[in-house]
């Protein structure tokens, strides 16, 4: 004759259990013949490392079977469902199951999240202190460099959020967020470094020309960081300030100006030479148009020195 096992029961659980404490859960069933089989599950995943005990009732010829699950409580076990399943051939493939929901208490886990990965002067930053524990942690405590926040007008605390507006170098320091519950307390730190706003001025460029004109170009570049909820522009802190690539548009403009000034200079020089072009006669040539020969032309020329024998010239 088969002995049908009784519905199992789980004992040894006390609620709540503190993190790190040892838990021993026992599942027991009686009246089975032959002895029933007991298996443990945690969140539908079978646990193999258990103790199994079988006792026989001499009068009824049935068995009382028990199994013990031994483990250390961890915060990851909070809310887990532990089940004890009894299998026996008399149950027609329908096992009997007992369940127990675990409740684990643990100290808060604290983390600070920053809204701005590269804070600069004049910008704002939001520091969010995430704290998770059981029981739920009390409102967090914000401090700076081991003391109270120095500027309550700019440093506003709203629940677990610390907002700092109009950042400046005096805001540099270590900000601590501390959370506690009846089990204990925990804290974490965030080091705030406010960076300078980058102002880069390109060097002055003087363009040589045939004229006295000088072209000077000054370009001011201001780099800033804009933070949004979807994405954050991150500047490389290892990049050198003032390091910029070649500006092809500026170079093209300079070349165009040089070519234009050169063409204008050539045109002005050509017009000047054209206006002053003419035919000029020397004193020796004046009055020689009607002379029959070269000697007469020389004699009739203005400024001729007829009486000076040593300066008389003849053309053959």
């Amino acid at each position: 004759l088969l002995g049908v096992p009784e519905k199992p029961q789980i004992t040894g659980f006390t609620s709540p259990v503190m993190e790190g404490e040892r838990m021993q859960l026992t599942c027991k069933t009686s009246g089975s013949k032959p002895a029933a089989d007991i298996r443990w599950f945690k969140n539908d995943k079978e646990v193999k490392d258990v103790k199994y005990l079988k006792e026989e009732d001499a009068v009824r010829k049935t068995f009382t079977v028990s199994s013990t699950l031994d483990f250390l409580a961890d915060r990851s076990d909070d809310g887990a469902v532990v089940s004890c399943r009894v299998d026996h051939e008399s149950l027609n493939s329908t096992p009997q199951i007992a369940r127990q929901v675990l409740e684990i208490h643990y100290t808060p886990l604290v983390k600070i999240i920053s809204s701005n990965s590269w804070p600069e002067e004049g910008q704002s930053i939001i520091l969010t202190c995430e704290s998770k524990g059981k029981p739920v942690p009390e409102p967090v405590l914000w401090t700076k460099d081991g003391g109270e926040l120095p500027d309550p007008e700019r440093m506003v605390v709203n629940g677990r959020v610390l907002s700092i507006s109009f950042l400046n170098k005096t805001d540099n320091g270590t900000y601590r967020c501390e959370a506690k519950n009846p089990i204990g307390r925990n804290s974490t730190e965030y080091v705030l470094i406010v960076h300078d706003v980058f102002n880069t001025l390109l060097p002055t460029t003087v363009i040589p020309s045939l004229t006295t004109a000088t072209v000077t170009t000054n370009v001011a570049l201001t780099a800033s960081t804009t933070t949004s909820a979807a994405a954050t522009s991150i500047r490389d802190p290892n990049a050198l300030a003032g390091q910029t690539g070649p500006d092809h548009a500026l170079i093209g403009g300079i070349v165009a100006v040089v070519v234009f000034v050169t063409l204008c200079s050539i045109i002005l020089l050509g017009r000047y030479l054209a206006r002053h072009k003419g035919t000029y006669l020397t004193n020796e040539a004046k009055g020689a148009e009607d002379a029959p020969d070269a000697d007469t032309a020389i004699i009739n020329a203005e400024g001729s020195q007829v009486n000076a024998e040593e300066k008389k010239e003849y053309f053959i």
Side-chain angles (χ1 to χ4, degrees):
L1 296 177
L2 295 177
V4 180
E6 298 177 357
K7 185 176 181 179
Q9 292 182 349
I10 296 177
T11 59
F13 178 75
T14 57
S15 181
V17 178
M18 304 303 169
E19 184 179 26
E21 290 185 359
R22 181 169 295 278
M23 296 185 62
Q24 290 183 341
L25 303 180
T26 300
C27 179
K28 186 176 182 181
T29 180
S30 301
S32 60
K33 183 182 180 181
D37 184 29
I38 297 179
R39 300 167 65 186
W40 286 95
F41 294 85
K42 183 187 293 185
N43 288 338
D44 297 328
K45 183 178 181 181
E46 186 172 3
V47 181
K48 296 290 188 179
D49 188 13
V50 296
K51 296 178 181 180
Y52 184 80
L53 180 61
K54 178 176 65 174
E55 298 178 352
E56 183 178 3
D57 186 350
V59 177
R60 301 176 55 187
K61 303 296 183 179
T62 58
F63 292 89
T64 298
V65 182
S66 63
S67 179
T68 302
L69 176 64
D70 191 347
F71 63 97
L72 293 177
D74 185 80
R75 64 182 61 198
S76 60
D77 294 329
D78 183 51
V81 178
V82 175
S83 58
C84 165
R85 191 174 81 178
V86 176
D87 293 312
H88 193 266
E89 53 187 302
S90 65
L91 298 178
N92 298 324
S93 302
T94 305
Q96 294 181 342
I97 300 175
R99 294 181 176 87
Q100 178 64 60
V101 179
L102 303 183
E103 182 181 2
I104 312 297
H105 284 191
Y106 53 93
T107 56
L109 180 65
V110 186
K111 180 174 64 174
I112 294 178
I113 299 177
S114 172
S115 65
N116 193 341
S117 59
W118 187 271
E120 296 181 348
E121 288 185 302
Q123 295 181 348
S124 61
I125 189 172
I126 298 176
L127 302 179
T128 303
C129 181
E130 289 189 351
S131 58
K132 181 180 180 181
K134 192 169 185 177
V136 178
E138 300 174 2
V140 299
L141 175 64
W142 283 98
T143 58
K144 179 190 176 186
D145 297 331
E148 297 181 355
L149 298 177
D151 193 347
E153 294 184 358
R154 293 189 304 109
M155 302 178 179
V156 180
V157 177
N158 185 11
R160 291 177 169 78
V161 177
L162 169 61
S163 302
I164 307 176
S165 58
F166 303 105
L167 291 171
N168 57 66
K169 290 301 183 65
T170 62
D171 297 327
N172 291 343
T174 301
Y175 293 79
R176 177 189 293 270
C177 169
E178 181 179 289
K180 64 179 181 179
N181 62 7
I183 309 302
R185 64 178 62 197
N186 201 354
S187 64
T188 187
E189 295 180 345
Y190 176 85
V191 178
L192 175 61
I193 300 177
V194 180
H195 301 273
D196 295 326
V197 178
F198 286 91
N199 291 321
T200 305
L201 185 63
L202 294 181
T204 301
T205 303
V206 179
I207 304 175
S209 174
L210 296 178
T211 66
T212 59
T214 301
V215 178
T216 304
T217 304
N218 292 327
V219 180
L221 301 179
T222 302
S224 61
T225 303
T226 303
T227 305
S228 65
T232 302
S233 177
I234 301 177
R235 181 183 291 104
D236 184 3
N238 296 323
L240 296 178
Q243 201 173 37
T244 57
D247 192 339
H248 299 287
L250 178 61
I251 295 175
I254 293 175
V255 173
V257 171
V258 171
V259 173
F260 177 78
V261 173
T262 302
L263 292 177
C264 291
S265 300
I266 294 174
I267 294 173
L268 292 176
L269 182 60
R271 294 189 62 183
Y272 177 83
L273 294 178
R275 286 189 175 186
H276 292 78
K277 183 177 179 181
T279 302
Y280 303 91
L281 297 177
T282 61
N283 290 331
E284 289 79 7
K286 292 180 180 180
E289 291 84 353
D290 300 328
D293 52 32
D295 292 340
T296 306
I298 294 174
I299 296 173
N300 294 338
E302 294 183 5
S304 63
Q305 300 179 4
V306 179
N307 298 325
E309 294 292 331
E310 65 277 5
K311 294 186 178 181
K312 187 174 181 180
E313 297 181 10
Y314 295 90
F315 295 91
I316 299 176

